Amino acid sequence: MLKLYNTIGREITEFKPIEDGKVSIYCCGPTVYNFAHIGNLRTYFFEDILVKTLKLNGFNIKHCMNITDVGHLTDDGDDGEDKMIKASREKGMDVYDIAKFFEKAFFEDTQKLNILKPNIICQATKHIGDMIKLVKGLEEKGFTYISNGNVYFNTTKFQDYGLMAGLDKQDLNFGTSTELDEAKQNPQDFVLWFTNSKFENQAMQWNSPWGKGYPGWHLECSAMSLKYLGDHFDIHCGGVDHVNIHHTNEIAQTEAYTGKKWVNRWLHGEFLVNKTGKMSKSKDGFLTLNTLIDKGYKALDYRYFLLGAHYRSQLTFSWEALDAGKSALKGIRSRVQSLMKESEVFNINKISDKAAKYKTDFENHINDDLNTPRCLADLWDLLKDKEVSSGEKLAVIEYMDKILSLDLLVAEKELCTDPELLALLDKRNIARGNKDYKSADEIRAQLLTKGWIIKDSPTGSSLERV
Ligand code: AMP
Ligand code: ZN
Protein backbone atom coordinates (compact mmCIF):
# COMPACT_ATOMS: atom_id res chain seq x y z
CA MET A 1 0.00 0.00 0.00
CA LEU A 2 1.41 3.38 -1.02
CA LYS A 3 1.23 6.02 1.70
CA LEU A 4 2.16 9.64 1.08
CA TYR A 5 2.17 12.85 3.06
CA ASN A 6 -0.27 15.61 2.20
CA THR A 7 0.69 19.16 3.11
CA ILE A 8 -3.03 19.92 3.33
CA GLY A 9 -3.93 18.20 6.58
CA ARG A 10 -0.28 17.53 7.46
CA GLU A 11 -0.67 13.75 7.58
CA ILE A 12 0.41 10.58 5.81
CA THR A 13 -2.49 8.76 4.20
CA GLU A 14 -3.04 5.98 1.69
CA PHE A 15 -2.68 7.22 -1.86
CA LYS A 16 -5.72 6.62 -4.05
CA PRO A 17 -5.84 8.08 -7.56
CA ILE A 18 -8.90 9.86 -8.90
CA GLU A 19 -9.04 7.47 -11.83
CA ASP A 20 -8.08 3.79 -11.42
CA GLY A 21 -4.54 3.04 -12.56
CA LYS A 22 -3.74 6.62 -13.58
CA VAL A 23 -2.02 9.50 -11.84
CA SER A 24 -1.78 13.11 -12.97
CA ILE A 25 0.99 15.08 -11.35
CA TYR A 26 2.12 18.69 -11.72
CA CYS A 27 5.55 19.88 -10.58
CA CYS A 28 6.53 23.53 -10.49
CA GLY A 29 9.44 23.84 -12.89
CA PRO A 30 12.54 25.99 -13.01
CA THR A 31 12.93 29.70 -13.57
CA VAL A 32 15.32 29.85 -16.49
CA TYR A 33 17.37 32.98 -15.97
CA ASN A 34 20.29 31.09 -14.43
CA PHE A 35 21.59 27.55 -13.91
CA ALA A 36 19.74 25.38 -11.42
CA HIS A 37 21.68 25.12 -8.17
CA ILE A 38 22.07 21.81 -6.40
CA GLY A 39 19.26 22.83 -4.00
CA ASN A 40 16.80 23.23 -6.86
CA LEU A 41 17.95 19.87 -8.15
CA ARG A 42 17.12 18.29 -4.80
CA THR A 43 13.47 19.18 -5.38
CA TYR A 44 13.44 17.64 -8.88
CA PHE A 45 15.20 14.58 -7.50
CA PHE A 46 12.48 14.11 -4.88
CA GLU A 47 9.80 14.45 -7.57
CA ASP A 48 11.66 11.84 -9.63
CA ILE A 49 11.55 9.42 -6.69
CA LEU A 50 7.82 10.09 -6.36
CA VAL A 51 7.12 9.50 -10.06
CA LYS A 52 9.20 6.30 -10.10
CA THR A 53 7.46 5.03 -6.97
CA LEU A 54 4.07 5.64 -8.56
CA LYS A 55 5.29 3.70 -11.61
CA LEU A 56 6.55 0.87 -9.43
CA ASN A 57 3.02 0.69 -8.01
CA GLY A 58 1.72 0.17 -11.52
CA PHE A 59 0.26 3.60 -12.20
CA ASN A 60 0.28 5.25 -15.58
CA ILE A 61 1.67 8.74 -15.11
CA LYS A 62 0.85 12.04 -16.73
CA HIS A 63 3.66 14.25 -15.46
CA CYS A 64 3.51 17.94 -16.29
CA MET A 65 6.11 20.62 -15.57
CA ASN A 66 6.20 24.31 -16.42
CA ILE A 67 9.21 26.33 -17.47
CA THR A 68 9.10 29.83 -15.99
CA ASP A 69 10.53 31.77 -18.90
CA VAL A 70 8.56 34.97 -18.25
CA GLY A 71 10.85 37.49 -16.61
CA HIS A 72 9.55 37.31 -13.09
CA LEU A 73 10.08 39.71 -10.30
CA THR A 74 11.37 38.70 -6.94
CA ASP A 75 7.83 39.08 -5.60
CA ASP A 76 4.44 40.59 -6.19
CA GLY A 77 5.41 43.84 -4.53
CA ASP A 78 7.18 44.74 -7.77
CA ASP A 79 10.25 45.85 -5.88
CA GLY A 80 12.67 43.35 -7.36
CA GLU A 81 14.44 43.31 -10.65
CA ASP A 82 13.27 41.44 -13.71
CA LYS A 83 15.64 38.49 -13.52
CA MET A 84 15.44 37.62 -17.19
CA ILE A 85 16.42 41.15 -18.22
CA LYS A 86 19.27 41.16 -15.73
CA ALA A 87 20.59 37.87 -17.16
CA SER A 88 20.10 39.13 -20.71
CA ARG A 89 22.11 42.26 -19.94
CA GLU A 90 24.87 40.27 -18.23
CA LYS A 91 25.18 37.66 -20.99
CA GLY A 92 24.47 39.98 -23.91
CA MET A 93 21.75 37.64 -25.16
CA ASP A 94 18.12 38.16 -26.13
CA VAL A 95 15.71 37.28 -23.28
CA TYR A 96 14.13 34.42 -25.23
CA ASP A 97 17.57 32.96 -25.98
CA ILE A 98 18.47 33.25 -22.30
CA ALA A 99 15.41 31.20 -21.44
CA LYS A 100 16.19 28.55 -24.06
CA PHE A 101 19.83 28.37 -22.99
CA PHE A 102 19.02 27.76 -19.31
CA GLU A 103 16.14 25.38 -20.06
CA LYS A 104 18.55 23.22 -22.04
CA ALA A 105 21.13 23.42 -19.25
CA PHE A 106 18.45 22.39 -16.75
CA PHE A 107 17.52 19.23 -18.64
CA GLU A 108 21.20 18.38 -19.12
CA ASP A 109 21.59 18.49 -15.34
CA THR A 110 18.50 16.40 -14.67
CA GLN A 111 19.61 13.86 -17.26
CA LYS A 112 22.99 13.49 -15.56
CA LEU A 113 21.12 12.79 -12.32
CA ASN A 114 18.96 10.13 -14.03
CA ILE A 115 15.84 12.21 -13.39
CA LEU A 116 13.04 11.26 -15.78
CA LYS A 117 11.85 14.01 -18.09
CA PRO A 118 8.17 14.91 -17.54
CA ASN A 119 5.97 13.87 -20.45
CA ILE A 120 4.44 17.35 -20.68
CA ILE A 121 6.81 20.33 -20.52
CA CYS A 122 5.18 23.72 -21.01
CA GLN A 123 6.74 27.16 -21.29
CA ALA A 124 4.89 30.07 -19.69
CA THR A 125 5.52 32.37 -22.67
CA LYS A 126 3.62 29.94 -24.91
CA HIS A 127 0.53 30.03 -22.68
CA ILE A 128 -0.19 33.72 -22.20
CA GLY A 129 -3.64 33.29 -23.81
CA ASP A 130 -4.55 30.61 -21.25
CA MET A 131 -3.48 32.91 -18.43
CA ILE A 132 -5.52 35.82 -19.78
CA LYS A 133 -8.55 33.51 -20.02
CA LEU A 134 -8.13 32.63 -16.35
CA VAL A 135 -7.88 36.27 -15.25
CA LYS A 136 -10.96 37.15 -17.35
CA GLY A 137 -12.90 34.34 -15.67
CA LEU A 138 -11.86 35.57 -12.23
CA GLU A 139 -12.81 39.11 -13.17
CA GLU A 140 -16.27 37.97 -14.33
CA LYS A 141 -16.77 36.20 -11.01
CA GLY A 142 -15.81 39.29 -9.03
CA PHE A 143 -12.53 38.05 -7.54
CA THR A 144 -10.39 40.87 -8.92
CA TYR A 145 -9.85 44.61 -8.73
CA ILE A 146 -7.64 47.00 -10.62
CA SER A 147 -5.31 49.25 -8.75
CA ASN A 148 -2.43 51.35 -9.98
CA GLY A 149 -2.78 49.77 -13.44
CA ASN A 150 -2.46 46.16 -12.22
CA VAL A 151 -5.10 43.46 -11.83
CA TYR A 152 -5.15 42.03 -8.30
CA PHE A 153 -6.74 38.90 -6.85
CA ASN A 154 -8.84 39.86 -3.85
CA THR A 155 -8.00 37.16 -1.30
CA THR A 156 -10.80 38.18 1.07
CA LYS A 157 -13.30 36.99 -1.56
CA PHE A 158 -11.91 33.44 -1.40
CA GLN A 159 -13.13 31.82 1.77
CA ASP A 160 -10.46 29.13 2.20
CA TYR A 161 -7.49 31.40 1.52
CA GLY A 162 -4.39 30.11 3.30
CA LEU A 163 -5.85 26.73 4.25
CA MET A 164 -2.83 24.78 3.07
CA ALA A 165 -0.38 27.05 4.83
CA GLY A 166 -2.30 26.08 7.97
CA LEU A 167 -1.86 29.53 9.44
CA ASP A 168 -4.15 32.35 10.39
CA LYS A 169 -4.33 34.94 7.66
CA GLN A 170 -2.44 37.49 9.67
CA ASP A 171 0.38 34.97 10.19
CA LEU A 172 0.96 34.25 6.52
CA ASN A 173 4.38 35.14 5.29
CA PHE A 174 3.92 37.74 2.61
CA GLY A 175 7.06 37.03 0.70
CA THR A 176 10.34 38.82 0.56
CA SER A 177 8.85 42.23 -0.11
CA THR A 178 10.63 44.88 1.86
CA GLU A 179 8.14 47.62 1.05
CA LEU A 180 4.43 46.93 1.28
CA ASP A 181 2.58 47.40 -1.99
CA GLU A 182 0.34 50.41 -1.27
CA ALA A 183 -1.95 49.54 -4.16
CA LYS A 184 -3.17 46.32 -2.51
CA GLN A 185 -6.48 46.34 -0.65
CA ASN A 186 -5.29 43.49 1.61
CA PRO A 187 -1.72 42.44 2.35
CA GLN A 188 -2.27 38.91 1.00
CA ASP A 189 -3.67 40.09 -2.35
CA PHE A 190 -1.48 39.36 -5.34
CA VAL A 191 -1.09 40.56 -8.90
CA LEU A 192 -2.66 38.52 -11.70
CA TRP A 193 -1.68 40.86 -14.52
CA PHE A 194 0.79 43.74 -14.55
CA THR A 195 0.45 46.66 -16.91
CA ASN A 196 2.33 48.98 -14.65
CA SER A 197 5.86 47.76 -14.17
CA LYS A 198 8.52 49.65 -12.32
CA PHE A 199 11.03 48.70 -14.95
CA GLU A 200 11.75 50.56 -18.12
CA ASN A 201 12.31 48.51 -21.27
CA GLN A 202 10.28 45.58 -19.97
CA ALA A 203 11.28 43.03 -22.62
CA MET A 204 8.46 40.50 -22.42
CA GLN A 205 5.03 42.08 -22.79
CA TRP A 206 1.76 40.94 -24.29
CA ASN A 207 -1.54 42.60 -25.17
CA SER A 208 -4.41 41.90 -22.82
CA PRO A 209 -7.89 43.25 -22.05
CA TRP A 210 -6.24 45.35 -19.30
CA GLY A 211 -3.48 46.75 -21.47
CA LYS A 212 -0.03 45.67 -22.52
CA GLY A 213 1.79 43.86 -19.77
CA TYR A 214 2.75 40.50 -18.35
CA PRO A 215 1.32 37.86 -16.02
CA GLY A 216 1.78 37.74 -12.27
CA TRP A 217 4.08 35.25 -10.64
CA HIS A 218 1.56 32.52 -9.77
CA LEU A 219 -0.68 32.48 -12.80
CA GLU A 220 1.20 30.17 -15.12
CA CYS A 221 1.00 27.02 -12.98
CA SER A 222 -2.77 27.32 -12.58
CA ALA A 223 -3.37 28.04 -16.27
CA MET A 224 -1.12 25.31 -17.61
CA SER A 225 -2.13 22.59 -15.16
CA LEU A 226 -5.80 23.32 -15.92
CA LYS A 227 -5.02 22.97 -19.59
CA TYR A 228 -2.99 19.76 -19.47
CA LEU A 229 -4.27 17.93 -16.38
CA GLY A 230 -7.81 19.26 -16.04
CA ASP A 231 -9.61 21.00 -13.20
CA HIS A 232 -9.23 18.15 -10.72
CA PHE A 233 -6.05 16.09 -10.53
CA ASP A 234 -4.03 13.93 -8.15
CA ILE A 235 -0.74 15.50 -7.04
CA HIS A 236 0.97 18.88 -7.08
CA CYS A 237 4.59 19.26 -5.91
CA GLY A 238 7.29 21.82 -5.36
CA GLY A 239 9.81 23.01 -2.84
CA VAL A 240 8.69 23.82 0.69
CA ASP A 241 9.10 27.56 0.08
CA HIS A 242 6.04 27.41 -2.17
CA VAL A 243 3.61 26.43 0.59
CA ASN A 244 2.82 29.83 2.04
CA ILE A 245 2.68 31.97 -1.06
CA HIS A 246 2.98 30.43 -4.51
CA HIS A 247 0.85 27.35 -3.90
CA THR A 248 -1.52 29.16 -1.55
CA ASN A 249 -2.16 31.67 -4.33
CA GLU A 250 -2.38 28.99 -7.02
CA ILE A 251 -5.10 27.25 -5.02
CA ALA A 252 -7.03 30.49 -4.44
CA GLN A 253 -7.07 31.60 -8.06
CA THR A 254 -7.78 28.13 -9.51
CA GLU A 255 -10.54 27.13 -7.11
CA ALA A 256 -12.11 30.60 -7.36
CA TYR A 257 -12.10 30.12 -11.14
CA THR A 258 -13.48 26.57 -11.27
CA GLY A 259 -15.66 26.78 -8.15
CA LYS A 260 -14.43 23.35 -6.97
CA LYS A 261 -11.60 21.48 -5.27
CA TRP A 262 -8.54 21.40 -7.48
CA VAL A 263 -5.69 19.13 -6.32
CA ASN A 264 -6.07 16.06 -4.10
CA ARG A 265 -2.60 15.92 -2.60
CA TRP A 266 0.29 18.34 -2.13
CA LEU A 267 3.87 17.19 -1.55
CA HIS A 268 6.70 19.57 -0.74
CA GLY A 269 10.41 18.83 -0.66
CA GLU A 270 12.48 20.34 2.15
CA PHE A 271 15.46 22.53 1.40
CA LEU A 272 19.06 21.76 0.81
CA VAL A 273 20.95 24.20 2.96
CA ASN A 274 24.59 24.95 3.46
CA LYS A 275 26.39 26.02 6.58
CA THR A 276 25.55 29.65 5.92
CA GLY A 277 21.85 28.92 5.37
CA LYS A 278 19.48 28.50 2.44
CA MET A 279 20.91 28.11 -1.04
CA SER A 280 19.24 30.55 -3.36
CA LYS A 281 19.36 31.37 -7.08
CA SER A 282 19.55 35.07 -6.57
CA LYS A 283 22.50 34.82 -4.13
CA ASP A 284 25.96 34.70 -5.60
CA GLY A 285 28.17 31.67 -5.19
CA PHE A 286 25.57 28.95 -5.37
CA LEU A 287 26.74 25.48 -6.38
CA THR A 288 25.71 23.89 -9.64
CA LEU A 289 25.96 20.24 -10.62
CA ASN A 290 28.73 21.16 -13.04
CA THR A 291 30.73 22.71 -10.19
CA LEU A 292 30.61 19.31 -8.46
CA ILE A 293 31.59 17.54 -11.68
CA ASP A 294 34.47 19.97 -12.24
CA LYS A 295 35.70 19.09 -8.77
CA GLY A 296 35.86 15.41 -9.71
CA TYR A 297 32.50 14.12 -8.44
CA LYS A 298 30.07 12.20 -10.60
CA ALA A 299 26.49 13.42 -10.83
CA LEU A 300 25.36 10.11 -9.32
CA ASP A 301 27.55 10.71 -6.25
CA TYR A 302 25.27 13.67 -5.61
CA ARG A 303 22.19 11.51 -6.24
CA TYR A 304 23.48 9.01 -3.68
CA PHE A 305 24.04 11.83 -1.19
CA LEU A 306 20.42 12.98 -1.72
CA LEU A 307 19.04 9.46 -1.25
CA GLY A 308 20.48 9.46 2.25
CA ALA A 309 17.95 12.02 3.53
CA HIS A 310 14.16 11.89 3.66
CA TYR A 311 12.60 14.46 1.34
CA ARG A 312 10.75 16.18 4.22
CA SER A 313 13.96 16.75 6.21
CA GLN A 314 16.33 19.58 5.63
CA LEU A 315 19.66 18.41 4.29
CA THR A 316 22.91 20.24 4.87
CA PHE A 317 25.37 20.15 2.03
CA SER A 318 29.06 19.80 2.85
CA TRP A 319 32.00 18.52 0.86
CA GLU A 320 32.72 15.99 3.62
CA ALA A 321 29.19 14.56 3.32
CA LEU A 322 29.48 14.42 -0.46
CA ASP A 323 32.83 12.64 -0.11
CA ALA A 324 31.20 10.09 2.17
CA GLY A 325 28.45 9.55 -0.43
CA LYS A 326 31.00 9.18 -3.19
CA SER A 327 33.02 6.55 -1.36
CA ALA A 328 29.88 4.66 -0.27
CA LEU A 329 28.68 4.51 -3.87
CA LYS A 330 32.12 3.37 -4.99
CA GLY A 331 31.90 0.59 -2.38
CA ILE A 332 28.50 -0.52 -3.65
CA ARG A 333 29.69 -0.49 -7.24
CA SER A 334 32.73 -2.62 -6.55
CA ARG A 335 30.59 -5.16 -4.67
CA VAL A 336 28.10 -5.25 -7.54
CA GLN A 337 30.94 -5.67 -10.06
CA SER A 338 32.19 -8.69 -8.06
CA LEU A 339 28.69 -10.17 -7.98
CA MET A 340 28.48 -9.77 -11.73
CA LYS A 341 31.73 -11.67 -12.18
CA GLU A 342 30.33 -14.49 -10.05
CA SER A 343 26.89 -14.83 -11.59
CA GLU A 344 24.24 -13.89 -14.12
CA VAL A 345 21.26 -11.81 -12.97
CA PHE A 346 18.46 -14.10 -11.77
CA ASN A 347 14.81 -13.75 -12.72
CA ILE A 348 13.27 -11.61 -9.98
CA ASN A 349 10.15 -13.80 -9.98
CA LYS A 350 12.15 -16.93 -9.20
CA ILE A 351 14.22 -15.84 -6.23
CA SER A 352 14.22 -17.46 -2.79
CA ASP A 353 12.01 -16.21 0.06
CA LYS A 354 15.08 -14.84 1.81
CA ALA A 355 16.03 -12.69 -1.20
CA ALA A 356 12.39 -11.73 -1.84
CA LYS A 357 12.17 -10.36 1.70
CA TYR A 358 14.66 -7.62 0.71
CA LYS A 359 12.50 -6.71 -2.26
CA THR A 360 9.41 -6.53 -0.05
CA ASP A 361 11.20 -4.48 2.61
CA PHE A 362 12.40 -2.08 -0.04
CA GLU A 363 8.86 -1.73 -1.45
CA ASN A 364 7.44 -1.14 2.00
CA HIS A 365 10.02 1.53 2.72
CA ILE A 366 9.64 3.44 -0.52
CA ASN A 367 5.86 3.15 -0.20
CA ASP A 368 6.13 4.61 3.29
CA ASP A 369 6.19 8.23 2.16
CA LEU A 370 9.32 7.69 0.04
CA ASN A 371 11.69 6.64 2.78
CA THR A 372 14.86 6.59 0.69
CA PRO A 373 17.32 6.36 3.63
CA ARG A 374 15.67 3.09 4.69
CA CYS A 375 15.81 1.90 1.07
CA LEU A 376 19.57 2.50 0.98
CA ALA A 377 19.90 0.56 4.23
CA ASP A 378 17.99 -2.32 2.57
CA LEU A 379 20.48 -2.29 -0.28
CA TRP A 380 23.44 -2.43 2.12
CA ASP A 381 21.85 -5.23 4.17
CA LEU A 382 21.27 -7.23 1.02
CA LEU A 383 24.86 -6.76 -0.15
CA LYS A 384 26.15 -8.00 3.19
CA ASP A 385 23.83 -11.01 3.48
CA LYS A 386 25.87 -14.20 3.06
CA GLU A 387 22.81 -16.41 2.69
CA VAL A 388 21.56 -14.80 -0.53
CA SER A 389 23.24 -15.93 -3.75
CA SER A 390 25.01 -13.49 -6.09
CA GLY A 391 22.47 -13.90 -8.88
CA GLU A 392 19.55 -13.29 -6.53
CA LYS A 393 21.27 -10.24 -5.10
CA LEU A 394 21.74 -8.87 -8.59
CA ALA A 395 18.08 -9.44 -9.41
CA VAL A 396 16.95 -7.54 -6.31
CA ILE A 397 19.51 -4.75 -6.87
CA GLU A 398 18.31 -4.35 -10.44
CA TYR A 399 14.78 -3.98 -9.07
CA MET A 400 15.86 -1.47 -6.38
CA ASP A 401 17.69 0.58 -8.97
CA LYS A 402 14.41 1.36 -10.72
CA ILE A 403 13.95 3.84 -7.87
CA LEU A 404 17.51 4.54 -6.76
CA SER A 405 18.62 5.10 -10.37
CA LEU A 406 22.32 4.85 -9.57
CA ASP A 407 23.11 2.76 -12.68
CA LEU A 408 24.27 0.00 -10.35
CA LEU A 409 24.27 -2.76 -12.95
CA VAL A 410 25.61 -0.61 -15.73
CA ALA A 411 29.33 -0.75 -16.38
CA GLU A 412 30.78 2.74 -15.88
CA LYS A 413 30.17 4.62 -19.10
CA GLU A 414 32.36 7.34 -20.52
CA LEU A 415 30.22 10.32 -21.48
CA CYS A 416 31.29 12.84 -24.08
CA THR A 417 31.89 16.42 -22.91
CA ASP A 418 33.44 17.79 -26.12
CA PRO A 419 31.30 20.90 -26.95
CA GLU A 420 31.71 20.44 -30.71
CA LEU A 421 30.44 16.87 -30.62
CA LEU A 422 27.63 17.82 -28.25
CA ALA A 423 26.61 20.57 -30.69
CA LEU A 424 26.42 17.87 -33.38
CA LEU A 425 24.20 15.80 -31.09
CA ASP A 426 21.92 18.85 -30.71
CA LYS A 427 21.80 19.24 -34.48
CA ARG A 428 20.83 15.59 -34.82
CA ASN A 429 18.07 15.95 -32.22
CA ILE A 430 16.69 19.00 -34.00
CA ALA A 431 16.78 17.11 -37.31
CA ARG A 432 14.94 14.21 -35.69
CA GLY A 433 12.40 16.61 -34.19
CA ASN A 434 11.80 17.96 -37.71
CA LYS A 435 11.43 14.37 -39.00
CA ASP A 436 14.55 14.91 -41.14
CA TYR A 437 15.75 11.36 -40.52
CA LYS A 438 18.27 11.44 -43.36
CA SER A 439 20.29 14.24 -41.73
CA ALA A 440 19.84 12.67 -38.29
CA ASP A 441 21.27 9.36 -39.55
CA GLU A 442 24.17 11.10 -41.24
CA ILE A 443 25.12 12.85 -38.00
CA ARG A 444 24.82 9.57 -36.09
CA ALA A 445 27.22 7.94 -38.56
CA GLN A 446 29.61 10.89 -38.35
CA LEU A 447 29.68 10.62 -34.53
CA LEU A 448 30.26 6.86 -34.75
CA THR A 449 33.32 7.35 -36.90
CA LYS A 450 34.66 9.60 -34.14
CA GLY A 451 34.11 6.82 -31.60
CA TRP A 452 30.88 8.01 -29.97
CA ILE A 453 27.48 6.36 -29.98
CA ILE A 454 24.19 8.19 -29.38
CA LYS A 455 22.14 6.82 -26.48
CA ASP A 456 18.51 7.94 -26.34
CA SER A 457 16.64 7.49 -23.09
CA PRO A 458 13.54 8.90 -21.37
CA THR A 459 15.81 11.44 -19.64
CA GLY A 460 17.27 12.75 -22.93
CA SER A 461 20.09 11.75 -25.28
CA SER A 462 23.81 11.49 -24.64
CA LEU A 463 27.03 10.42 -26.32
CA GLU A 464 28.85 7.38 -24.98
CA ARG A 465 32.23 5.95 -25.91
CA VAL A 466 31.71 3.02 -28.31
P1 AMP B 1 13.27 28.17 -8.99
O1 AMP B 1 13.91 27.77 -10.27
O2 AMP B 1 14.07 29.15 -8.20
O3 AMP B 1 11.84 28.61 -9.18
O4 AMP B 1 13.21 26.89 -8.07
C1 AMP B 1 12.90 25.63 -8.58
C2 AMP B 1 12.49 24.68 -7.47
O5 AMP B 1 13.55 24.54 -6.52
C3 AMP B 1 11.27 25.15 -6.67
O6 AMP B 1 10.39 24.04 -6.50
C4 AMP B 1 11.85 25.61 -5.35
O7 AMP B 1 10.93 25.43 -4.32
C5 AMP B 1 13.04 24.67 -5.21
N1 AMP B 1 14.13 25.19 -4.37
C6 AMP B 1 14.64 26.45 -4.32
N2 AMP B 1 15.67 26.52 -3.45
C7 AMP B 1 15.84 25.26 -2.94
C8 AMP B 1 16.74 24.67 -2.00
N3 AMP B 1 17.71 25.37 -1.42
N4 AMP B 1 16.59 23.35 -1.72
C9 AMP B 1 15.63 22.60 -2.31
N5 AMP B 1 14.76 23.10 -3.22
C10 AMP B 1 14.86 24.42 -3.53
ZN1 ZN C 1 4.08 26.71 -9.64
Side-chain angles (χ1 to χ4, degrees), residues 30-31 37 39-40 43-44 238-239 241-242 270-272 279 281:
T31 45
H37 59 61
N40 300 131
T43 292
Y44 301 107
D241 55 327
H242 287 340
E270 250 299 347
F271 264 33
L272 179 84
M279 205 170 281
K281 242 183 209 183

Side-chain angles (χ1 to χ4, degrees), residues 124-140 144 151 192-195 205-216 218-224 226-227 253 257:
T125 51
K126 293 188 184 151
H127 295 81
I128 302 295
D130 299 298
M131 295 188 225
I132 290 176
K133 185 174 151 206
L134 209 160
V135 181
K136 263 172 127 174
L138 289 170
E139 190 172 47
E140 279 158 22
T144 67
V151 185
L192 295 164
W193 189 267
F194 287 94
T195 67
Q205 294 203 50
W206 295 267
N207 289 322
S208 83
W210 311 278
K212 207 166 175 199
Y214 54 96
H218 317 291
L219 202 55
E220 65 189 81
C221 293
S222 294
M224 295 194 278
L226 279 171
K227 177 165 185 160
Q253 67 200 5
Y257 177 74

Side-chain angles (χ1 to χ4, degrees), residues 28 221 246-247 250:
C28 289
C221 293
H246 182 52
H247 288 165
E250 277 187 32

Side-chain angles (χ1 to χ4, degrees), residues 37 325 361 379 426:
H37 59 61
D361 285 350
L379 169 63
D426 279 347

